[in-house]
Amino acid sequence: MKRSTFLRAVLGAGVVAAVPGLPAVARSQAVLTNKVADLTGPGLTDRFRMAATDLGVPARTPDGRMLFVFGDTFEQPVVGGGWWRSPVALWSTTTDLNSGVQWSGAVGGAAAQQLWEYEHDNPVFSTVLPSDVITIGGSMYLHVMVNKGLGNVVWTEIWRSDNSGASWYHTGAKFDPNIDGGLFQCLTWGEGNDGYVYVYSTGFQRNKPIILKRVRSDQIANPAAYEPWGYRDGVWAWGNPATPILNGSFGELCLRPLGGKWVLTWFNAGDYRIDGIIMDTPTSNLYTAYRQTLIYGGAWGSEDGNHVAQLYGGYIIPGSTLSDLHLAVSQWKTDAGWPYRVMQFRVQGFG
């Protein structure tokens, strides 16, 4: 499936029916959401020859900066507008998120270079898209989905950087797209204080639930070391076959330890919005955990502080707190090819 067809189907339909059987666990507490800034586009990232891009998955680098990893990227401000690359990445030294993230440089030099060389639309795959990036000690690990047409994952893999994102090499970790019934494709991860990295994952079709796995922090590049969380014989336990921990239609995911809790934000494709959950641990019951809609999908021409047309993504920016959350949110007007950009939103009062 072409990228435009795929996203037009899941983003352009407006508000669609809620997922059957999904409990209404969202609380009534109001949050205050507002757009802080556009982060990419003309006048912002065209100096890196990347006027059109999306995703912007952020992490704190070992040297203390922030690294944002972007998906399909083009030189001109339109999808397909020359010099197609993915993934690419930008650094930021911003400390005051309320004033908006500013870019300090691009991986690769003056122009943002693809993080590793490959040809797009080759006979095996068409593009490589980032799922999530994590810093463990002095290294960063980037999980990516290798796609032959968007939504058709041919495999996933993990790359590593030992210089705060300046260069990347393949770890050797490669995952079949069909494991766990196709629910281990698009993932997010966060490191606990117990020596484990916890991984939430789903399919890359925006119509599937999420599952949970864990892996020792020092074994993150060993596919055989990932241990599923599942329900069997009346008990949830590690090592059981992976069982969905939350039903729904999940798109991009972002799981982070934050403020003594764990936070999951995601693009809720079924309800056309970005939602968030605060939990005590990654194994908490997500049906009863505190849940809130953070940004609603909207129509073009009718956007406001918490209604965004054709939104997706929703990644937590380092420096956020539970009560003052900053998100990298993508937007793509699929029928025109622009806007196709990343924006920063601030959510106050979530936690």
Side-chain angles (χ1 to χ4, degrees):
M1 181 184 292
K2 291 182 178 179
R3 180 183 178 91
S4 58
T5 305
F6 176 79
L7 277 188
R8 189 174 295 114
V10 295
L11 296 178
V15 179
V16 296
V19 180
L22 186 62
V25 295
R27 304 299 194 265
S28 60
Q29 174 184 327
V31 297
L32 176 62
T33 302
N34 66 281
K35 180 177 176 178
V36 177
D38 291 331
L39 299 184
T40 68
L44 299 168
T45 51
D46 47 0
R47 70 185 189 274
F48 305 120
R49 296 178 64 186
M50 53 176 293
T53 191
D54 73 346
L55 300 181
V57 188
R60 184 74 66 187
T61 62
D63 65 10
R65 293 176 291 172
M66 289 187 286
L67 182 77
F68 287 68
V69 183
F70 298 88
D72 285 328
T73 297
F74 305 94
E75 183 165 12
Q76 303 300 323
V78 63
V79 172
W83 198 20
W84 184 11
R85 291 151 288 158
S86 181
V88 302
L90 299 177
W91 285 294
S92 174
T93 57
T94 298
T95 57
D96 179 14
L97 293 183
N98 295 335
S99 298
V101 171
Q102 304 290 318
W103 305 118
S104 59
V107 175
Q113 303 289 330
Q114 195 165 270
L115 296 188
W116 53 87
E117 291 187 9
Y118 69 88
E119 293 295 326
H120 288 266
D121 280 335
N122 65 60
V124 180
F125 61 90
S126 55
T127 192
V128 177
L129 300 178
S131 281
D132 202 0
V133 61
I134 190 172
T135 297
I136 299 175
S139 300
M140 302 187 79
Y141 296 86
L142 173 62
H143 179 273
V144 297
M145 299 173 288
V146 179
N147 296 268
K148 189 173 179 61
L150 205 71
N152 179 31
V153 179
V154 291
W155 72 81
T156 68
E157 58 192 21
I158 298 175
W159 290 70
R160 175 174 171 172
S161 172
D162 297 324
N163 52 13
S164 291
S167 61
W168 295 84
Y169 61 92
H170 201 297
T171 64
K174 187 174 178 179
F175 302 86
D176 187 287
N178 299 311
I179 59 176
D180 302 298
L183 295 179
F184 198 71
Q185 295 180 358
C186 181
L187 65 73
T188 182
W189 44 22
E191 187 178 22
N193 57 10
D194 57 356
Y196 282 96
V197 171
Y198 292 87
V199 185
Y200 282 6
S201 66
T202 187
F204 191 47
Q205 298 77 34
R206 290 181 167 156
N207 61 2
K208 291 180 173 60
I210 56 173
I211 60 171
L212 165 63
K213 292 187 175 183
R214 70 176 182 181
V215 63
R216 290 279 185 185
S217 298
D218 60 0
Q219 293 292 306
I220 194 169
N222 177 9
Y226 284 71
E227 188 178 16
W229 174 252
Y231 186 81
R232 186 171 57 188
D233 299 328
V235 176
W236 284 92
W238 294 109
N240 285 344
T243 305
I245 57 173
L246 189 62
N247 287 314
S249 295
F250 288 87
E252 294 79 22
L253 308 168
C254 186
L255 176 70
R256 298 290 185 264
L258 192 63
K261 301 285 188 178
W262 286 76
V263 177
L264 173 69
T265 58
W266 74 96
F267 173 54
N268 180 342
D271 294 317
Y272 188 40
R273 64 197 193 200
I274 291 173
D275 284 348
I277 282 179
I278 300 175
M279 67 203 92
D280 292 327
T281 72
T283 59
S284 293
N285 184 341
L286 299 189
Y287 289 100
T288 58
Y290 175 79
R291 177 171 172 173
Q292 186 75 43
T293 294
L294 306 178
I295 308 174
Y296 293 87
W300 291 101
S302 301
E303 296 182 281
D304 56 31
N306 67 340
H307 289 81
V308 178
Q310 291 192 265
L311 79 171
Y312 57 108
Y315 303 100
I316 299 169
I317 299 175
S320 294
T321 65
L322 290 174
S323 59
D324 197 356
L325 195 69
H326 289 258
L327 301 176
V329 177
S330 293
Q331 181 182 51
W332 180 12
K333 196 173 193 298
T334 49
D335 61 357
W338 180 262
Y340 175 70
R341 62 189 175 192
V342 179
M343 306 168 290
Q344 179 183 343
F345 280 78
R346 181 185 185 187
V347 181
Q348 296 172 269
F350 176 42

